[in-house]
């Protein structure tokens, strides 16, 4: 039990950061879009607007054939044509459900940046020697989930799936990515360790089997072995 408490303490900062980040990004999903007061006022407006439209239609019918109605009808036709043109332009500029490409980039750009940042830091965690590795993995995996949620939300139509589907997808994908990083990194270290053991065995063999008259050449060769050797 004490070991668990000690581990939690070591990673407490990263656990708190992960919770804060997740809360900051997703808390809006649990807040009502509109207050009851707003909904009531809006519904009242729609009711009154419907009454006004009904009264206006009666007025139009009564004024058919008059000079004022003829002028109104001409402007109505022009307005309808302008509205149709606007809809065509909007349809041409739409991109993956967004108003235009600029809005799409604005919605997905920061999420892609967060994805790259969190994935990079997740990989770098395994190059560090520290006691907070698990906490950092949790934090960066959380950031991966957040970025993947908003990337998938931007790439697919907003009405394709419920939001919880995007959330589940992003969490599962981030866990898979984190696990993949762990596997790849562990395999890398296994290969490095194997290489070091082979080098140690080779050097031991050289020391034990090199003739005294060849020791100087052996040392010259060993001196050439260095990090990032070229040629």
């Amino acid at each position: 039990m004490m070991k668990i408490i000690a581990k939690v303490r070591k990673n407490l900062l990263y656990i708190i950061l992960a919770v804060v980040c997740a809360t900051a990004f997703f808390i809006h999903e649990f807040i009502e879009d509109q207050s009851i007061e707003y909904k009531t006022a809006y519904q009242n407006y729609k009711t009154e607007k419907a009454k006004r439209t009904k009264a206006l239609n009666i007025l139009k019918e009564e004024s058919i054939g008059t000079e004022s109605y003829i002028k109104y009808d001409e402007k109505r036709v022009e307005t309808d044509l302008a509205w149709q043109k606007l809809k065509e332009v909007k349809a041409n500029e739409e991109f993956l459900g967004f108003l235009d490409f600029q809005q799409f980039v604005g919605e997905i750009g920061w999420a892609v940046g967060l994805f790259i940042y969190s994935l990079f830091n997740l990989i770098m965690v395994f190059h560090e020697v520290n006691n907070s590795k698990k906490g950092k993995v949790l934090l960066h995996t959380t950031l991966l989930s957040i970025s993947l949620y908003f990337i998938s939300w931007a790439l697919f139509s907003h009405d394709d799936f419920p939001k919880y589907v995007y959330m589940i997808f992003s969490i599962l994908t981030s866990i898979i990515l984190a696990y993949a990083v762990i596997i790849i990194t562990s395999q890398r270290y296994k290969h490095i360790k194997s290489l070091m053991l082979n080098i140690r065995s080779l050097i031991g063999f050289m020391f034990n089997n090199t003739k005294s008259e060849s020791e100087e050449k052996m040392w010259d060769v060993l001196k050439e072995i260095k990090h990032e050797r070229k040629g």
Side-chain angles (χ1 to χ4, degrees), residues 11 14 124-134 136:
N11 297 284
Y14 298 100
M124 293 305 296
V125 165
F126 296 96
H127 292 271
E128 301 174 359
V129 179
N130 57 69
N131 296 322
S132 304
K133 184 175 289 186
K134 291 182 179 179
K136 290 184 177 181

Side-chain angles (χ1 to χ4, degrees), residues 6-207:
K7 287 182 179 179
V8 171
R9 284 180 178 175
K10 289 177 182 177
N11 297 284
L12 184 60
L13 174 61
Y14 298 100
I15 294 172
I16 293 173
L17 286 173
V19 173
V20 170
C21 288
T23 303
F25 277 102
F26 294 118
I27 192 171
H28 68 280
E29 300 290 354
F30 303 95
I31 299 175
E32 287 289 337
D33 294 338
Q34 300 161 342
S35 66
I36 296 176
E37 184 179 3
Y38 175 86
K39 291 178 180 178
T40 302
Y42 183 71
Q43 187 60 43
N44 182 59
Y45 161 75
K46 287 177 65 177
T47 302
E48 295 302 322
K49 183 181 178 182
K51 293 178 182 178
R52 184 200 64 184
T53 302
K54 185 177 180 180
L56 182 60
N57 289 335
I58 294 173
L59 180 62
K60 289 178 184 177
E61 290 177 2
E62 292 177 349
S63 62
I64 291 176
T66 64
E67 184 179 353
S68 298
Y69 182 85
I70 293 172
K71 289 181 179 179
Y72 158 77
D73 196 51
E74 290 175 353
K75 294 300 179 183
R76 180 187 62 79
V77 172
E78 292 175 2
T79 303
D80 288 346
L81 290 174
W83 173 244
Q84 190 62 37
K85 179 63 177 178
L86 176 60
K87 288 200 296 183
E88 291 175 3
V89 172
K90 286 177 65 177
N92 291 333
E93 292 193 359
E94 282 184 0
F95 189 85
L96 294 179
F98 292 91
L99 293 177
D100 51 36
F101 183 70
Q102 187 271 345
Q103 187 186 42
F104 167 75
V105 173
E107 292 291 342
I108 199 174
W110 69 269
V112 172
L114 179 61
F115 174 81
I116 295 171
Y117 169 81
S118 52
L119 183 60
F120 171 78
N121 280 282
L122 180 62
I123 294 171
M124 293 305 296
V125 165
F126 296 96
H127 292 271
E128 301 174 359
V129 179
N130 57 69
N131 296 322
S132 304
K133 184 175 289 186
K134 291 182 179 179
K136 290 184 177 181
V137 169
L138 173 64
L139 173 60
H140 298 310
T141 303
T142 301
L143 294 177
L144 273 177
S145 298
I146 293 169
S147 63
L148 286 169
Y149 171 83
F150 286 100
I151 289 172
S152 59
W153 178 83
L155 290 176
F156 298 99
S157 175
H158 303 171
D159 299 325
D160 279 352
F161 308 102
K163 289 184 177 179
Y164 73 85
V165 174
Y166 291 109
M167 195 171 294
I168 293 172
F169 165 78
S170 62
I171 292 172
L172 290 177
T173 306
S174 62
I175 292 173
I176 292 171
L177 278 173
Y179 187 64
V181 169
I182 293 171
I183 292 175
I184 293 171
T185 307
S186 62
Q187 288 296 320
R188 177 175 176 272
Y189 280 115
K190 284 181 181 178
H191 288 308
I192 292 174
K193 185 177 180 181
S194 175
L195 179 62
M196 295 302 295
L197 290 173
N198 289 334
I199 292 173
R200 185 187 299 175
S201 298
L202 179 60
I203 292 175
F205 176 81
M206 290 171 63
F207 273 114

